[in-house]
Amino acid sequence: MKKNVLKKFISFFILGWAFMEVTYSGGILSLIIDSEVPVNRLVIGAEGSVLKQENEIVAWEDSLIIESSMTLNIPTDYATIEDAFKFLANKKIKSDAIVTIQFADGTYNRTSPIHPTHPDGRNIKIIGNLSTPGNVIINSTDNGVAISGSSIRLIDGITFDGGGNTKSGIYVNKGGVARLGSSLILQNFEKGITVSLNGLILANGVTVNNTNDVGIRVERNGFLRIENSQISNTASYGFYVLRGGYVESKNNSVSSYGSYAYFIGSQSLLDLSGGTHDAVLSNRSLDTGIPDNSYIRSF
């Protein structure tokens, strides 16, 4: 008797399990069928987007990888450069793709620096008007651009105006890297360019004008390679290199300075080639070692 009851129980259990499996499978099949969308109702995502599924939701999302070069226009595509960087924030840029953040002609007033912070900054350009940089003016009450620990491929075609403030047009430190182009103008700051704390700047054809201290300051293991540039109307020095700073200056014009074109401080090195410049410290001529383990080399 007990054996028969046990057999019946096992049989009912197996039949119940089979019924649930069939019902569950049918439900899934029904879900898939009911979720089909007619072709004429399918909306394709934007270029570069991908189709992703999370649980039962299927949707188009922006790709996390920028695979080809693109331009982000300010202010037509993005109101501010911060909005453009927000768009880029969670995206990787392929090594052969360049993202250009393009400023339209106009005047932009800022109370804080532009802070490029993207990990793929070596593939990002910040561009204004390359033929007429005076058409793109960024007025700033702070540093024009401040780069700390990140990089930017190129800054060019823009006039940064400090309005006589006590900051720098371009400030790079803590291992930051920047390349400055031949249509970049930095004017009316305390310092046109400052490089510090292992920062690196490569500049070609930059114009630094009307600074209320020095045109260019390089210090604390900062490195600057600058050529074919013009530094003028500086209150004290054209170049001020100190505390382990290193400058390679080639074919630059330094004029209308308050004290000297080039001044070098302690434990620093200045390499000069071509261009126009003047005596550096007191009556010492170029090619003369400076106290405190500093040196000037002229070629």
Side-chain angles (χ1 to χ4, degrees), residues 28-72:
I28 295 297
L29 182 61
S30 175
L31 174 64
I32 294 173
I33 293 173
D34 292 343
S35 299
E36 288 184 350
V37 179
V39 174
N40 61 359
R41 292 180 57 193
L42 183 63
V43 179
I44 305 301
E47 182 179 355
S49 61
V50 295
L51 192 63
K52 294 185 178 180
Q53 178 176 354
E54 184 174 348
N55 297 325
E56 291 84 16
I57 299 174
V58 178
W60 292 97
E61 294 184 7
D62 289 337
S63 173
L64 297 181
I65 300 177
I66 296 175
E67 298 186 356
S68 57
S69 297
M70 64 187 305
T71 299
L72 310 179

Side-chain angles (χ1 to χ4, degrees), residues 12 24 26 29 38 80 104 125 129 134 167 175 203 269 282:
F12 279 118
Y24 177 75
L29 182 61
T80 67
K125 296 180 179 180
N129 189 318
K167 302 292 185 174
L269 178 60
S282 298

Side-chain angles (χ1 to χ4, degrees), residues 108-166:
Y108 305 82
N109 297 315
R110 298 183 58 89
T111 57
S112 61
I114 294 173
H115 280 294
T117 57
H118 197 281
D120 294 328
R122 64 189 179 278
N123 295 89
I124 299 175
K125 296 180 179 180
I126 300 174
I127 301 296
N129 189 318
L130 296 178
S131 59
T132 313
N135 286 357
V136 179
I137 299 174
I138 297 181
N139 295 319
S140 181
T141 58
D142 206 303
N143 295 309
V145 178
I147 301 174
S148 182
S150 58
S151 60
I152 199 75
R153 185 182 187 90
L154 181 65
I155 304 172
D156 203 4
I158 301 172
T159 297
F160 286 94
D161 194 314
N165 75 35
T166 59

Side-chain angles (χ1 to χ4, degrees), residues 186-257:
L186 309 170
Q187 61 187 26
N188 301 320
F189 289 90
E190 182 176 80
K191 295 171 282 289
I193 295 172
T194 298
V195 195
S196 182
L197 295 173
N198 299 304
L200 166 66
I201 289 181
L202 305 176
N204 192 337
V206 175
T207 297
V208 175
N209 183 46
N210 198 32
T211 59
N212 53 40
D213 186 10
V214 300
I216 293 171
R217 181 183 177 109
V218 182
E219 62 180 354
R220 291 186 286 180
N221 298 319
F223 177 85
L224 170 68
R225 177 179 295 154
I226 183 168
E227 56 186 324
N228 305 316
S229 297
Q230 299 203 9
I231 297 90
S232 61
N233 299 312
T234 61
S236 54
Y237 311 114
F239 283 74
Y240 190 25
V241 189
L242 69 161
R243 299 175 190 168
Y246 177 40
V247 171
E248 291 183 3
S249 174
K250 181 179 180 181
N251 295 329
N252 297 303
S253 171
V254 186
S255 61
S256 301
Y257 38 85

